[in-house]
Amino acid sequence: MRRKMVAGNWKMHGNLLENKKLIDAVVTGLNGLHEVGFLVCVPYPYLPSVQNALQNTNIAWGAQNLSQYEKGAYTGEISASMLNDFMCRYVIVGHSERRTLFGEDNHVVAEKYQAAQGAGIIPILCVGETLNQREAGTTEQVIEEQLAAVIKLAGVESLVKAIVAYEPVWAIGTGRTASPEQAQEVHAFIREGIAKTNANVANGLTILYGGSVKASNASELFDMPDIDGGLIGGASLVANDFIAICRALHQ
Ligand code: 13P
C-alpha cells in the first residue's frame, strides 16, 4: 500500500552509547506522529538493542543488507530468517554502495529481494544512476534494467510487498541533491513504467527519494506528487535533523 515514509540508513556508523542517545532523542521527537511510517536501518550487531528500544514505539527497525542464501557455508553472511529473529520488517537491498563497492549486480540484488520477501520482510529496493550515466543520457535505461531484473525473478506483483528508493549515485553523501523536478521526473518514470504492466501495483507503490536529503530541502522534495518520502543517510545520524525531515513529511 502506498504510504508516506521516512527511513534512516545509518550505514556503517554508530556504537552502543551513541545509538542510545540518538534513538532516545528520535523516539521523543516523533512521539505521537502516526500518519507517516518511520524506520531506521541499522548495522546488524545493533539490531537487538535497537529492537529493544523501539518496540512499542511508532518507529520500525530494519537492516541494510542480507544474504541471498537461506543458510549454509556462507561465512560472514546474514540470512533473512536471522533478521526475522530480531523482528526486522524491512531490509535495504541493492544500495549503490553495495552495487559499486561490493560488486552486487542486478541479478544478485534480485535474489536478495526475493530472499527478503520469502521471509516476509519488505525489501527497500534501491535504484539509481551514476553521474556518468546521467550525463550520457542513460538514466532511464539504467533504472529500467535495475527494476527489470527484480520483476523478471519475482514478478511485478511482488512490488506490492516492496518499497522502491530512487537514489541517484551522484547525490549520495555529496551534498548535491537532485532538484525536486529531477527527482520527480525519475519517480514518475518508475511509476509509469510499472503501470504499463500493472496499474494497481504502480498506484500502490511507495517510492522514496534518497541522496543528500536535509532538513532544509526535505519539504520541497516531499511536495512532489510521486515522491512518497525519503531514505536518509547522513542526516539520519543527527537526531534533530532526522526529526525535522520526518516532520517535513508529516506536514
Ligand atoms: P545521504 O543522505 O548521506 O546522501 O545518503 C543517502 C543514502 O545513501 C541513503 O541510503
Side-chain angles (χ1 to χ4, degrees):
M1 192 190 69
R2 188 169 171 186
R3 68 180 307 211
K4 294 183 172 198
M5 180 164 200
V6 177
N9 173 9
W10 288 5
K11 307 193 180 182
M12 198 172 72
H13 291 288
N15 58 51
L16 283 175
L17 193 66
E18 279 178 23
N19 298 350
K20 181 167 174 12
K21 285 190 216 155
L22 176 58
I23 288 282
D24 285 352
V26 169
V27 167
T28 307
L30 298 180
N31 188 23
L33 303 185
H34 287 286
E35 296 81 359
V36 172
F38 304 119
L39 165 68
V40 288
C41 294
V42 307
Y44 295 132
Y46 302 128
L47 282 171
S49 58
V50 167
Q51 174 189 9
N52 197 35
L54 292 181
Q55 59 195 356
N56 305 321
T57 72
N58 56 342
I59 306 170
W61 59 94
Q64 303 168 11
N65 182 29
L66 82 166
S67 172
Q68 65 270 51
Y69 305 114
E70 272 176 39
K71 63 176 170 182
Y74 301 107
T75 302
E77 291 293 285
I78 305 283
S79 71
S81 62
M82 293 173 187
L83 298 183
N84 259 338
D85 274 345
F86 298 96
M87 313 279 281
C88 287
R89 281 178 46 213
Y90 300 89
V91 62
I92 297 171
V93 299
H95 191 280
S96 67
E97 286 149 19
R98 304 248 19 120
R99 292 178 188 265
T100 55
L101 302 173
F102 299 96
E104 292 185 11
D105 62 19
N106 283 340
H107 182 66
V108 166
V109 172
E111 287 183 330
K112 292 187 173 201
Y113 170 102
Q114 203 173 36
Q117 287 193 330
I121 301 172
I122 297 177
I124 301 177
L125 171 67
C126 297
V127 298
E129 80 289 2
T130 63
L131 187 58
N132 280 347
Q133 289 164 335
R134 175 160 278 264
E135 286 174 347
T138 56
T139 298
E140 294 189 347
Q141 186 192 329
V142 168
I143 287 166
E144 205 168 338
E145 283 168 9
Q146 290 171 336
L147 286 170
V150 166
I151 291 170
K152 185 173 167 214
L153 194 70
V156 74
E157 277 82 19
S158 73
L159 288 165
V160 169
K161 291 195 177 130
I163 289 171
V164 171
Y166 169 54
E167 298 210 318
V169 180
W170 48 272
I172 295 177
T174 58
R176 185 177 164 190
T177 320
S179 70
E181 293 74 22
Q182 280 174 322
Q184 165 59 26
E185 197 180 2
V186 178
H187 282 233
F189 170 76
I190 292 170
R191 204 180 299 284
E192 283 159 18
I194 294 165
K196 283 182 196 150
T197 329
N198 190 320
N200 284 341
V201 171
N203 289 337
L205 183 65
T206 303
I207 310 178
L208 308 179
Y209 168 79
S212 298
V213 178
K214 303 183 269 280
S216 56
N217 61 22
S219 296
E220 55 179 21
L221 286 158
F222 297 162
D223 278 348
M224 289 289 150
D226 286 293
I227 300 182
D228 301 312
L231 181 55
I232 320 299
S236 73
L237 299 169
V238 182
N240 285 341
D241 291 352
F242 189 64
I243 293 163
I245 293 168
C246 292
R247 286 185 172 271
L249 185 61
H250 179 259
Q251 274 158 9

